[in-house]
Amino acid sequence: KNQVEQSPQSLIILEGKNCTLQCNYTVSPFSNLRWYKQDTGRGPVSLTIMTFSENTKSNGRYTATLDADTKQSSLHITASQLSDSASYICVVSPKEANYGGSQGNLIFGKGTKLSVKP
Amino acid sequence: DAGVIQSPRHEVTEMGQEVTLRCKPISGHNSLFWYRQTMMRGLELLIYFNNNVPIDDSGMPEDRFSAKMPNASFSTLKIQPSEPRDSAVYFCASSLWGVYNEQFFGPGTRLTVL
C-alpha cells in the first residue's frame, strides 16, 4: 500500500536554530515528491518539488533532499525564524500508468507541526 | 491574481442539513481539486476535474458528497445530508494542468456539523 510517513509529529525549536524534518515513503514507482508549508488557518503552499532523479532542491532557507534508493526525503530549515512556525507536509505522486484514475492520486503525509520559539 | 477563492470561510450547520461549498480557481488553470483535512487523517483528495470534467472521484467518501464544475471559473462541493463526522476543513486547489503540476490552494472552508 502506498504510504507516506513523516517524523517527528511535532517539533519545538528556538529561533535561529536549524532543524530537519523527515519523510519516508513506500510509493513506487513515483513521479515526484513535494514539500508544502501550511500556516495555521491557511491552505498549503508549495516549497519544493523534486523528481526521482533529483537529490536536492533549495528554496531560500529551505533545502529538501531525496534518496530514491532508501525512499527517504528530508526538509532542512536553516536559521529558523518565528514565521517558520507551521505544519510541513510531504506529498508523493505515484507514477501514473494511465492518465487519470486513482493512479493519479497524490499520497499525503500527515505533516510535522513545527513551533519556533523566541 | 487573487488566487483561489473559496466561500464561505466558515460554515456551522446542523446534522441533516445540506451544505454547499464554493470555489473559484485561478484564471487560466485547467485543473481543480477538492480536498478535506482533519487532524486524524490529514489531507485527502476527494475529487479532481480537468477542463471541467471529473477525472477521479475515488476519494469521495459517500453518495452524500457530490461535486460539480459547470464552467472553468466555478465549482461546488455539496454534502447532503451532512453528518457530524463531515466536520473538517475543505480546501479547493487549482493547477495549470493535471495532478503533477504545482497546485495552488485556497484558504479553505471550515465546516462544523453539530
Side-chain angles (χ1 to χ4, degrees):
Chain A
K1 181 182 175 183
N2 288 332
Q3 285 185 314
V4 175
E5 301 285 343
Q6 291 189 245
S7 62
Q9 222 173 356
S10 61
L11 181 63
I12 300 174
I13 61 173
L14 292 176
E15 186 179 12
K17 298 296 186 184
N18 304 335
C19 68
T20 300
L21 315 180
Q22 297 291 343
C23 173
N24 296 339
Y25 59 93
T26 60
V27 181
S28 182
F30 83 99
S31 175
N32 59 60
L33 183 147
R34 314 161 198 222
W35 283 93
Y36 280 91
K37 178 187 179 190
Q38 184 175 20
D39 292 315
T40 300
R42 302 198 143 192
V45 174
S46 180
L47 289 175
T48 64
I49 177 168
M50 291 184 290
T51 65
F52 65 89
S53 61
E54 293 179 287
N55 298 120
T56 185
K57 185 74 71 84
S58 290
N59 178 358
R61 294 179 297 102
Y62 301 100
T63 300
T65 62
L66 174 63
D67 186 334
D69 291 331
T70 61
K71 296 186 172 59
Q72 294 180 326
S73 176
S74 63
L75 180 69
H76 186 75
I77 304 175
T78 304
S80 60
Q81 300 176 359
L82 298 179
S83 59
D84 293 330
S85 296
S87 288
Y88 292 84
I89 302 170
C90 175
V91 185
V92 180
S93 304
K95 191 173 180 64
E96 59 183 0
N98 301 300
Y99 186 78
S102 61
Q103 292 164 327
N105 276 359
L106 303 178
I107 313 296
F108 289 81
K110 289 198 170 76
T112 292
K113 187 176 174 63
L114 174 66
S115 297
V116 181
K117 303 294 186 185
Chain B
D1 197 319
V4 175
I5 298 173
Q6 290 186 247
S7 64
R9 291 295 311 276
H10 302 273
E11 177 81 31
V12 180
T13 190
E14 293 188 344
M15 184 173 64
Q17 297 298 306
E18 177 180 294
V19 175
T20 300
L21 311 181
R22 297 173 176 79
C23 175
K24 176 178 167 55
I26 292 173
S27 177
H29 282 191
N30 296 307
S31 297
L32 182 140
F33 309 83
W34 281 102
Y35 291 90
R36 177 171 67 177
Q37 186 176 41
T38 61
M39 290 289 291
M40 288 294 292
R41 301 170 68 95
L43 264 171
E44 301 173 281
L45 177 64
L46 300 177
I47 184 171
Y48 76 91
F49 297 82
N50 283 342
N51 283 343
N52 314 337
V53 176
I55 299 299
D56 184 1
D57 65 355
S58 58
M60 296 285 263
E62 303 169 30
D63 291 344
R64 299 183 296 105
F65 286 69
S66 63
K68 292 182 180 178
M69 192 164 185
N71 58 62
S73 58
F74 183 67
S75 176
T76 60
L77 178 68
K78 187 174 292 187
I79 308 173
Q80 165 64 20
S82 58
E83 296 182 4
R85 61 193 167 118
D86 300 331
S87 297
V89 181
Y90 291 81
F91 287 103
C92 176
S94 69
S95 73
L96 280 173
W97 180 259
V99 177
Y100 299 130
N101 281 316
E102 181 178 354
Q103 296 178 27
F104 295 82
F105 284 75
T109 294
R110 180 173 292 279
L111 173 65
T112 302
V113 183
L114 303 174

